[in-house]
Amino acid sequence: MLRFVALRLVMALPTLWAVLSLVFVLVRIVPGDPALVILGDQATEQALVALRHRMGLDVPLWDQYLQFMAAVLQGDLGISMVRNRPVWGEVATVLPYTLELTFVGIFLGVLMGLPLGVLAAQHRGGWIDAVARWTSLLGLSFPAFISGILMLLLLAVELPWFPVIGNAPFANPPAHLRALVLPALNLGFIMVAYVARVTRSGMLASLSEDYIRTARAKGVPARLVVWRHALRNALIPVVTVVGLYFGILIGNSVLTEIVFNRPGLGKLIVGALNDRDYTMLQGLMVIYALVVVGANLATDLAYGAVDPRIRVR
Amino acid sequence: MAVGAIGAPKGIAGRALGNRSLMAGVALLVFIILLAVLAPWISPYDPNDQDAIASLGAPNAQHWFGTDFFGRDVLSRVIWGARVSLFVGAVSTAISMLLGGSIGILSGYVGGRFDQGVMAVMDVLLSFPQLIMGLIIVALLGANLTDLILAIAITAVPPFARVARGPTLSLKERDFVEAGRALGFSNLRIMLVHILPNVLDDLIVMGSLWLATAIRTEASLSFIGLGLPPPTATWGSIIREGFENLLDAPWLAVFPSLAVLIVMLALNMIGDGLRDATDPKAAVS
């Protein structure tokens, strides 16, 4: 298992390099001169030169690329052009909020989606199957900001069960958890759609396998057959979909953070876009790149945990 | 899902017609498209007519969906917003289908190092979260109609390229392609006339599902504030204004949200139904 983990780690490196290069290219293809955009038409030539120098834009592109890579490797994301503070510091203060939201969202999604998918497959064509189908359809259809707004209206405004603003510091655990419920449910609800769908079709396939009939024939209790024997084999596509969903989840977390007014990467990136804060933007994209590569790695490792055959390969 | 009646096997069209949720989706979508097309005739007010006295009015007999902060009729804005939302979604999906499809077929047909290189680039683009990519491209390009459509289209090129490349790889080994080459057809002709029609089914299914994503992306970008500038009514921008007045005038956010939701539901029902119809195995399992 250790060798498997090490191998996957090494294999993630080229992806990381490629994604970081993409970030570099994306930020550089801005039409026009960033210094001019920031300082405006009235800026003096001296001010422009000074800013270009501060941003490292006065050296050849190739050197900029090397400097960028070297800085990222050293964990240096530069200084925010607008806030004048290190980007990494700004990110570090809100990152826990986003990570917490995404992980609880995934957890809730799997917690609700897996049983729903299993039950739907078990009672195929029955009412619970219909419930699962409609939940999936709704979850796939709801843009995250719309489900968030409707939840906010119903469960925070009409029925004042939860706070309207999802911003409560970690230092106050009860309030913090209460503020987390709606945003995390919002992310989880959309994820249920994906998880329930693949679990159902995976379960339908594995329930018709020979080894399930064998298990039934030798008198394994029905509950055990379904939840251990069959589910274990249906898990691989679930892991795949959770991994694939991660990119959508990140986009949805941005929208969710705006709707619930939660601190996090989402509010930071929208602020950076509005302020044209290029260094902050670049830093945030590096963070997103790291998160995505990390999620892919976690997905690969989860395959190994779910299916021992993959570890051997 | 039950498809049609028991009896003789039907073709794709037959299966599609027999699929109830597909037909319900088509009906819903046609209804919304009609609203959008007929907007100048059926919308009760001009979507940009302001009436300060009617600011944030609740739904009533004159204004079925209420009025917004500037006293504009929300029903009219939702109807006019359908035009922008559907147009942006449809055109950007068409562009990504065209671009992604061409890249995928070309990459698969040429094969070798070229294919590996193209697909590696696509994978890297694909690995970046779609909405974040859209946000950044819109911020870089600017927020006019053309650039917005382009930004949404670019984010969808990699998935279409993948969908087109897969079947191309096996199609180019088939006898009818070999025969075309033996007859001296140009590579372009083989790709367009012999491979494209066989990939089209997959591209169209993907397109119907992606149309939902494109419309959702446009609405999300407008909601974040990176969409078309005011006063243009788009569903996302109306929802944003509603969100800013959520406590005083919830209807302002709720009605356009329902409109988006209906289109999303319709497109997902169509996409699922089309997939079942083009792939009988998926329907049975």
Side-chain angles (χ1 to χ4, degrees), chain A residues 33-36 38-39 44-59 64:
Chain A
D33 179 358
L36 197 65
I38 297 156
L39 294 176
T44 61
E45 189 55 35
Q46 279 164 312
L48 287 175
V49 169
L51 184 62
R52 277 189 213 119
H53 180 70
R54 216 182 83 201
M55 290 165 70
L57 293 174
D58 53 353
V59 296
Q64 288 184 35

Side-chain angles (χ1 to χ4, degrees), chain A residues 124 140-141 197 285 292, chain B residues 127 136 216 264 268 272 284:
Chain A
R124 188 181 178 185
L140 290 173
S141 299
R197 237 177 211 219
M285 287 172 71
V292 167
Chain B
S127 74
I136 287 161
R216 188 165 48 207
M264 294 295 115
N268 279 320
D272 285 355
V284 176

Side-chain angles (χ1 to χ4, degrees), chain A residues 253-264:
Chain A
S253 74
V254 171
L255 296 167
T256 305
E257 282 170 2
I258 296 173
V259 170
F260 292 96
N261 202 6
R262 261 178 78 89

Side-chain angles (χ1 to χ4, degrees), chain A residues 18-19 22-23 26 29-31 124 133-134 137-138 140-143 145-146 149-150 152-153 157 197 204 247 250-251 254-255 258-259 269-270 273-274 276 278 285 288-289 292 296, chain B residues 1 124-125 127-133 135-137 139-141 216 219-220 223-226 236 239 243 246-247 250 253-254 256-257 260-261 264-265 268-269 272 275 283-285:
Chain A
V19 177
L22 174 73
V23 171
L26 266 182
I29 53 170
V30 193
R124 188 181 178 185
R133 199 165 60 237
W134 275 98
L137 195 58
L138 279 176
L140 290 173
S141 299
F142 260 110
F145 65 102
I146 291 186
I149 289 176
L150 294 184
L152 200 64
L153 267 179
V157 179
R197 237 177 211 219
L204 283 178
I250 287 180
V254 171
L255 296 167
I258 296 173
V259 170
I269 196 170
V270 172
L273 285 170
N274 287 331
R276 305 237 152 218
Y278 287 108
M285 287 172 71
Y288 278 123
V292 167
N296 290 344
Chain B
M1 200 178 291
V124 172
L125 286 174
S127 74
F128 222 79
Q130 192 244 344
L131 186 69
I132 307 284
M133 194 72 126
L135 275 178
I136 287 161
I137 299 178
L140 294 182
L141 289 179
R216 188 165 48 207
S220 303
F223 176 72
I224 291 173
L226 286 168
I239 296 172
F243 179 62
L246 196 61
L247 297 181
V254 168
S257 295
V260 176
L261 204 55
M264 294 295 115
L265 268 176
N268 279 320
M269 284 156 93
D272 285 355
R275 195 176 44 202
V284 176
S285 72

